[in-house]
C-alpha cells in the first residue's frame, strides 16, 4: 500500500511540474480576455480612455503597454465597436491561447 501511495505522489508531482507553465499561460489569457471585457464595459459607460487605463492599472501580469494597446483597440478599431460582454472576453482569451 505504501509503495502505491508513493508512486501516485510521484506521478502527481511529475504531472504538476509539467502543468504549471500551461496553467500560467491559461491564467494570463483569462486575465487578458477579462481585461478586454472590462475595457469595453467602461467604453460603453462613456469613460474616457485615460480614465479606463487608470481603472485597469492594477491588473497584474499584463504590461502597461499591452493595456494601452488593448484600450486603443477597443476604443478605436471599428471591428470592436460593437464588441462587449463575455463573448468579447472569450474571443480574446482564445486568441491569446492560440498565439503560443
Amino acid at each position: 500500500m505504501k509503495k502505491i501511495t508513493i508512486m501516485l505522489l510521484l506521478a502527481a508531482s511529475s504531472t504538476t511540474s509539467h502543468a504549471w507553465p500551461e496553467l500560467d499561460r491559461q491564467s494570463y489569457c483569462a486575465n487578458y480576455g477579462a481585461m478586454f471585457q472590462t475595457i469595453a464595459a467602461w467604453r460603453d459607460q462613456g469613460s474616457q480612455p485615460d480614465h479606463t487605463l487608470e481603472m485597469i492599472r492594477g491588473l497584474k501580469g499584463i504590461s502597461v503597454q499591452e493595456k494601452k494597446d488593448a484600450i486603443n483597440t477597443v476604443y478605436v478599431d471599428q471591428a470592436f465597436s460593437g464588441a462587449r460582454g463575455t463573448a468579447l472576453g472569450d474571443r480574446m482569451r482564445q486568441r491569446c491561447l492560440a498565439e503560443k
Side-chain angles (χ1 to χ4, degrees), residues 10-37:
L10 287 173
S13 66
S14 174
T15 303
T16 302
S17 68
H18 295 294
W20 279 112
E22 184 63 30
L23 180 62
D24 288 343
R25 180 69 181 169
Q26 294 231 8
S27 295
Y28 169 82
C29 290
N31 285 344
Y32 189 76
M35 175 184 68
F36 271 84
Q37 186 175 338

Side-chain angles (χ1 to χ4, degrees), residues 29-90:
C29 290
N31 285 344
Y32 189 76
M35 175 184 68
F36 271 84
Q37 186 175 338
T38 301
I39 292 168
W42 281 105
R43 175 202 62 202
D44 293 347
Q45 292 179 12
S47 177
Q48 294 298 312
D50 57 337
H51 183 256
T52 300
L53 179 61
E54 287 302 315
M55 298 304 291
I56 66 168
R57 191 168 293 277
L59 185 61
K60 302 286 186 209
I62 299 175
S63 73
V64 174
Q65 187 59 50
E66 288 174 306
K67 292 172 187 173
K68 288 178 180 180
D69 293 344
I71 288 170
N72 189 50
T73 297
V74 171
Y75 275 82
V76 177
D77 190 335
Q78 289 300 315
F80 285 83
S81 65
R84 64 184 47 81
T86 55
L88 173 60
D90 289 343

